[in-house]
Amino acid sequence: MATDDVAQLADSLAKTGVEDGELSYKGQGRKLDDAQSVEEMVKEIQDFEGLQALRLEGNTVGVEAARAIAKALETKSALKRCYWSDMFTGRLRSEIPPALNSLGDALMLAGARLTVLDLSDNAFGPDGVKGIENLLKSSTCYTLQELRLNNCGMGIGGGKILAAALIYNHKKSSAEGSPFSLKVFVAGRNRLENDGATALAQAFKLIGSMEEVHMPQNGINHAGVTALAEAMQHNPGLRILNLNDNTFTEKGAIAMAQALKHLRSIQVINFGDCLVRPEGAKAIAASVSEGLPILKELNLSYGEITEDAALVVAQAVKDKDQLEKLDLNGTKNAVGMLFYELLGSLSDDEGEPEDDDDDDEDEDDDEEEDDDEEDVDEEEVEEEEEEEEEEESTGNKVRHFSTPQSAPRPPEVSSFLSFPSPDKLLKLGPTRALLIEQQVDVSDAAKTAEAFLKIASVYKEDNNEVKNAVLDSIDGLLRKAFTSSSFQGYSFVSSLLVLLGLIKSEDKVKPVIVVPGHLQALEHVVRQDYFPKESVAVLEAFMSRNNKTLEPCGNAKNNLQSTLQRVRSQS
């Protein structure tokens, strides 16, 4: 092979991720406006034999570019997985439906049979749902197992259109002898409210195969929650139910408690920030106590639960052998009990990371990244949806962007968070702390822990400029996180311990290579007023163990242990 050919091949591989059956342009930030801008991509799609997965997330695709890509997909009958989240940033909302229609028509023409469709973080509103309506009704989606529409601004109208499409799919596929069996549904931050949730509940009730339902932050109150509760009873295989940050009140919580009695396969229940109140918490506790043999996580945090109700919940889970996490954050005077539950559940692990094959880890990383990423701020999406077009003094119409123009990460911040280095951090300038703070989703404790370790990895004790830049950035990030009423502090500590390789994770999260900077930065953090003192004892318990992962950090580990002991004794 000629030298030029080798160089061209290497350059192509560097730009495009290719795995078994998968072609990925993920996160490349390409601005794809017309057919000319996607010529190379189209050729690669056409030449890819046996294409099973196409990743377009993190690029911005216009109508003409979508049509050109769609043309290339018309012969790809083996395509199963479409990862198309966050691919309309900066586009007019009117551009999105025709782009989606083109892509959907191509999949139907090809005779593809999808198993995964991810269109999260596209903020396309009800019209965007219309853009995928025909696709969802078609035989291409009879085989769909995962539908991810997180943070799309669907609203009530979009929720109803979506529900009707899913019901139609199930009826048609059942008539043809292969009933639609959706397993994973993700639609957080969509303002579905009661009517949208109730419509979707009818679809879930009919489908009956749901294993994961994620619908946090949708403005659903007890009427919608009750409808969902009834629907969940018809899905006996349900493993994960996440309705975080909706408003149950006692009525909704009691209805959901009744549903839980039918869900013996449930492993994760997230009703945090749902205002379940004392009677609702006690009803849920009764259902937990009577059944749910493989429950692993129960989150009733910030639900206006009294101490006596919290103790009833704690009693209900004490004999759950597989329980890993009980979150009652925000319960007055229950902090000590919560700490005991967390520490007790984590102490069974010896703290050695699993020796998994790299391929398995990479696949899990991909799956985790596909989960509901929430980079676009909900309030910005709502403001954008509600803003009406109006004439400016020049006579030009105001543009409505599909996602806020501020949503894409500045290249420097993205580069630093992907591949941290001292130089990159310093080049962010004096506003580095604010830039990083704006780009990390601090509502997600795991992502916050990951960002903390990335920043801390460039810490240099002998370089004051880098040291101060690291500590300022970390303080800004964690202060924002820990002062947020919805932030789960114990989840942050748990995620941190997993990433440091001190406890195992069933999700096979790959631990980082621990460097002294991680522990030196953590030593600084535990002394700050924003860091909860009750978490200090958890860290101290694990740092006092003999862990091979910390052996290269002898002095840093010893200093951190001493600081943890001192802080705990002062609290």
Side-chain angles (χ1 to χ4, degrees):
M1 184 179 287
T3 303
D4 289 345
D5 292 337
V6 173
Q8 185 176 0
L9 177 61
D11 183 61
S12 178
L13 290 174
K15 292 179 180 177
T16 307
V18 179
E19 295 184 7
D20 290 342
E22 177 178 296
L23 186 59
S24 176
Y25 302 92
K26 181 179 179 179
Q28 294 184 6
R30 299 190 188 190
K31 192 172 189 296
L32 308 172
D33 295 325
D34 49 32
Q36 184 177 358
S37 66
V38 293
E39 281 183 355
E40 179 185 354
M41 182 183 293
V42 165
K43 186 176 187 309
E44 289 170 343
I45 292 172
Q46 290 173 335
D47 294 344
F48 197 117
E49 294 185 8
L51 180 65
Q52 295 184 30
L54 179 61
R55 290 184 173 274
L56 297 176
E57 63 263 58
N59 300 285
T60 175
V61 183
V63 176
E64 294 304 318
R67 286 174 181 160
I69 294 170
K71 190 69 178 175
L73 292 175
E74 288 179 357
T75 60
K76 300 301 176 181
S77 59
L79 189 61
K80 296 179 180 179
R81 304 184 301 279
C82 297
Y83 301 108
W84 296 348
S85 64
D86 188 23
M87 69 172 197
F88 295 114
T89 298
R91 298 291 170 184
L92 294 172
R93 195 177 303 282
S94 59
E95 293 182 79
I96 300 177
L100 290 173
N101 271 317
S102 296
L103 293 167
D105 289 347
L107 296 176
M108 290 185 282
L109 183 60
R113 293 293 183 267
L114 295 185
T115 58
V116 178
L117 178 60
D118 185 357
L119 288 165
S120 298
D121 299 318
N122 280 314
F124 45 49
D127 289 341
V129 183
K130 292 178 182 177
I132 59 171
E133 183 179 8
N134 289 336
L135 173 64
L136 291 174
K137 288 180 175 180
S138 74
S139 59
T140 294
C141 286
Y142 285 179
T143 51
L144 193 65
Q145 295 182 8
E146 298 184 19
L147 179 58
R148 301 179 183 275
L149 297 169
N150 203 64
N151 194 34
C152 288
M154 290 190 289
I156 295 172
K160 289 182 175 181
I161 295 169
L162 176 61
L166 296 179
I167 291 171
Y168 181 91
N169 181 325
H170 187 271
K171 290 181 177 178
K172 290 287 289 184
S173 59
S174 296
E176 294 184 20
S178 56
F180 177 44
S181 300
L182 188 67
K183 290 180 171 59
V184 178
F185 180 79
V186 181
R189 303 176 72 177
N190 270 292
R191 298 182 295 106
L192 295 169
E193 301 181 16
N194 283 341
D195 290 347
T198 300
L200 285 166
Q202 294 303 310
F204 298 150
K205 183 177 180 179
L206 182 65
I207 293 168
S209 58
M210 303 305 304
E211 294 181 5
E212 297 185 24
V213 174
H214 303 262
M215 297 174 64
Q217 297 182 359
N218 269 298
I220 308 169
N221 65 30
H222 69 84
V225 171
T226 299
L228 288 170
E230 182 183 352
M232 293 307 107
Q233 295 182 41
H234 296 268
N235 290 267
L238 190 69
R239 296 183 297 105
I240 299 175
L241 182 58
N242 176 7
L243 295 176
N244 188 282
D245 201 7
N246 290 291
T247 308
F248 283 36
T249 66
E250 290 92 339
K251 290 181 180 179
I254 291 171
M256 196 58 73
Q258 278 297 117
L260 291 176
K261 294 179 180 179
H262 301 267
L263 303 176
R264 293 185 60 80
S265 297
I266 197 117
Q267 297 177 25
V268 178
I269 300 170
N270 187 344
F271 297 159
D273 240 353
C274 284
L275 207 67
V276 298
R277 293 180 173 153
E279 293 308 309
K282 290 177 181 178
I284 292 170
S287 295
V288 169
S289 180
E290 293 168 10
L292 314 191
I294 58 174
L295 184 66
K296 293 181 178 179
E297 294 186 18
L298 175 60
N299 183 353
L300 297 177
S301 61
Y302 300 99
E304 290 193 1
I305 301 173
T306 56
E307 182 178 3
D308 66 314
L311 291 172
V312 171
V313 175
Q315 283 291 115
V317 301
K318 71 177 183 178
D319 294 325
K320 300 298 174 184
D321 295 337
Q322 298 190 38
L323 189 74
E324 297 173 358
K325 177 181 175 183
L326 170 64
D327 193 345
L328 296 174
N329 252 323
T331 303
K332 189 175 181 181
N333 295 326
V335 172
M337 176 270 295
L338 176 57
F339 160 74
Y340 174 81
E341 290 294 329
L342 176 68
L343 184 59
S345 65
L346 298 180
S347 294
D348 294 332
D349 273 314
E350 292 301 319
E352 294 302 323
E354 296 180 5
D355 294 323
D356 296 306
D357 293 337
D358 289 342
D359 290 342
D360 291 339
E361 288 170 348
D362 290 341
E363 289 173 7
D364 286 331
D365 288 344
D366 285 343
E367 290 173 6
E368 288 172 11
E369 289 170 7
D370 292 337
D371 287 342
D372 36 34
E373 297 176 352
E374 299 179 353
D375 291 336
V376 183
D377 186 87
E378 179 187 22
E379 292 180 358
E380 292 176 322
V381 172
E382 290 182 2
E383 289 171 2
E384 180 192 351
E385 296 244 357
E386 292 168 359
E387 181 183 8
E388 296 179 355
E389 288 195 355
E390 55 184 326
E391 297 292 330
E392 294 179 346
S393 57
T394 59
N396 295 326
K397 288 188 176 181
V398 176
R399 284 191 169 194
H400 293 257
F401 293 91
S402 63
T403 55
Q405 288 177 287
S406 60
R409 295 184 175 185
E412 296 83 358
V413 178
S414 177
S415 176
F416 171 72
L417 291 175
S418 298
F419 303 101
S421 74
D423 287 342
K424 288 180 182 178
L425 181 62
L426 294 178
K427 285 179 181 178
L428 292 178
T431 61
R432 64 180 67 87
L434 180 60
L435 290 172
I436 294 173
E437 178 185 325
Q438 290 174 339
Q439 300 307 320
V440 177
D441 180 9
V442 296
S443 67
D444 188 316
K447 290 181 181 178
T448 305
E450 184 180 356
F452 162 73
L453 290 176
K454 287 183 176 181
I455 301 168
S457 68
V458 305
Y459 180 97
K460 289 183 177 292
E461 184 64 36
D462 57 355
N463 186 322
N464 284 334
E465 185 180 12
V466 174
K467 175 181 175 180
N468 291 335
V470 168
L471 298 183
D472 287 347
S473 300
I474 285 172
D475 283 340
L477 175 69
L478 296 188
R479 189 178 298 278
K480 179 181 179 181
F482 280 106
T483 54
S484 170
S485 61
S486 61
F487 187 69
Q488 300 176 13
Y490 285 111
S491 294
F492 170 84
V493 174
S494 180
S495 296
L496 190 62
L497 293 171
V498 168
L499 289 168
L500 290 173
L502 301 180
I503 60 175
K504 296 177 183 178
S505 167
E506 289 198 352
D507 296 327
K508 295 184 180 179
V509 175
K510 187 175 181 179
V512 301
I513 298 174
V514 183
V515 297
H518 290 138
L519 305 188
Q520 289 165 324
L522 188 55
E523 182 187 357
H524 166 82
V525 167
V526 299
R527 297 198 304 264
Q528 306 309 305
D529 57 1
Y530 58 74
F531 191 78
K533 296 300 181 271
E534 57 267 22
S535 295
V536 170
V538 178
L539 289 174
E540 184 185 2
F542 284 96
M543 291 299 165
S544 63
R545 294 179 174 184
N546 292 322
N547 294 289
K548 291 181 180 179
T549 58
L550 302 184
E551 285 180 358
C553 309
N555 290 336
K557 177 190 174 184
N558 293 337
N559 291 339
L560 175 57
Q561 281 183 273
S562 298
T563 299
L564 287 167
Q565 291 171 359
R566 185 167 62 254
V567 172
R568 188 167 67 89
S569 65
Q570 293 172 351
S571 61

